[in-house]
Amino acid sequence: MRQELEFVSADGRALLSTYTAADVPPGLRSGADLHRYDAFVEAVLPGLRKRLPSLETAVVHFSVLQRCVADALLRAVEEAWAPGCGAGGGAGGGGGGSTSTSTSTSSKSNDNSNNDDSGSESGGCNDFSAGDDRVPFWQVVRALSLGSADPAPSGLGGRKGRGPGSPAPPLTPPSPPPSPHSAAAALAARRGLAVSEYELYFAFAWARYRDRVQPRPLAFAVARDWAAWLPPADSDGRLDEEGRSGAGGCGIVNDGGDNAARASTAVAAARSRVAYVVSHSPLRLDGSLTPAQLAQREGIVNAAHAGAGRHTTVDDAGASLALGAAKPTAATGAAAAPVAGGSARAAAALGVLSQRGLFDQFL
Amino acid sequence: MPVVTGVVVCHPKDFDTLGTTLETVRRCAPQLGALVVISPVDPGAALLGRSNLLGPGPRGSTARVSGGAGGGAAIWFDEARFPFRLADFAGCLPSPGWVLQQMLKLYAPAVLGSDAADPVLGAGAAGPDAFFVVVDADTVWLQVRARWLSLVTASAALKPPLFFLILIATGA
């Protein structure tokens, strides 16, 4: 009765999830990710832009990397930032997969992760330590994060190349091509950029290797009490055949109140339509958050992608019951049922009824 | 089909959710091959002390988690084997660890795939077409139900009138 979650399509494409502005409940802080990393993507590899700047984000807490694409990303950035490549040669968004052919050598082993003397093969697919004339990818990211053109402003050169305390030569950013966003990116770079691996990878893969990726939005919940989202447990606390986790599993032993939350029909309804729950440590561990603050942090993203329906916040879904939240609202059932995967006909019917508040009589 | 490896980059602060992350992603995606945990310390002891999820327990540098359809083993990979370290990101915001984790994820295909001296991944998992499913250590994966079953169970979990309404609307 349950379906496996595929991460790679039948034709060999990585299934990458994103969400757009339309897929975030109003007021949910996850909406900030839509634009937070725009400047970083444009700064790290001139010419590269997000698929939908300010409107879409790939910060969905997972990604499906393909080695040749990941290798090409690192190499493209290193080449763009190499001394003498100030024009960003070969790094522009119009590359159209120009680096993809070199990834065919990636099967060659190159175990140099702990070898300071290792000579990297220029253009090698796993050339993660960069060559003599190239700045390692991670140093580029660090420089952008620090808002400095110096790749090692802290005096730490990492394990490759320069030793600790050795000043590094200035890192010259490649000249970006004309872009309406370049000025903003340059300005943000001076302040230090918020970096995102997921945004960068998706933007790069979409720009250069579109035939290797396939967007596939997945609904997910952001919640403090992730355990409340797990289905009821079997007696010994282990995952049963249905993939349910035990109450004592993972050291999370809920008290009676939380178990009651688990039994919540609203959570059960919402659970069936999300693929995963993310529970950030600040959200899990900060007990000082008020219900109002939690309401800004907890919610369901991409809920509508399973079909017609409307967004439902976690509070609506009752997943905040651990905090003693009120019973689910009428919107819970109204939104959850169609989004759970029913036919378009049912979704449309329930949506209309929901908007008219007709579910109150059932709830 | 290409080999798909699961990768979880994990700071010790997320060890409390790591066990569930591993187990649920394994359950939801049994097509995954190895599950690799990249962290600064062996998570085996933390998992062993905090849950009943472990099978044989830590074995050398390898923590094994039971319950997976594909054997369930989770392999610890020391983040010290990457070409950078936490101190390299001093001053980065919002925290050095934030940026470090991002770099660990992006470098994981290259580093894990090139680990020839101490093979972490099986044959094929290091090739150019190999996939690496990188999931955050604070995610819990819920199995996807068949669409029709989700609809029925979701509605039945609410109120019987709603349940029957859906049955009528769907023609079920």
Side-chain angles (χ1 to χ4, degrees), chain A residues 3 5 63 65 67 106 113 142 156 159 195 197-198 238-239 242 250-251 265 275 277 279 281 284 362, chain B residues 13-14 20 23 28 31 50 66 80-81 87-88 102 105 126 128 132 134 136 138 140 142-144 157 159:
Chain A
Q3 299 173 330
L5 179 61
S63 189
L65 312 183
R67 186 176 176 198
S106 62
S113 60
R142 178 182 63 183
L156 295 171
R159 294 187 188 141
V195 304
E197 76 285 40
Y198 294 140
R238 296 176 61 85
L239 292 181
E242 292 294 315
C250 318
T265 55
V277 179
S279 187
S281 58
R284 290 197 318 272
F362 300 116
Chain B
K13 73 180 187 315
D14 286 326
T20 303
E23 200 154 29
C28 293
Q31 76 274 18
R50 299 173 69 94
S66 67
R81 297 166 76 172
D88 290 326
Q102 297 195 16
K105 293 172 194 174
F132 294 81
V134 178
D136 287 356
D138 52 10
V140 174
L142 306 175
Q143 283 191 310
V144 180
K159 292 290 184 181

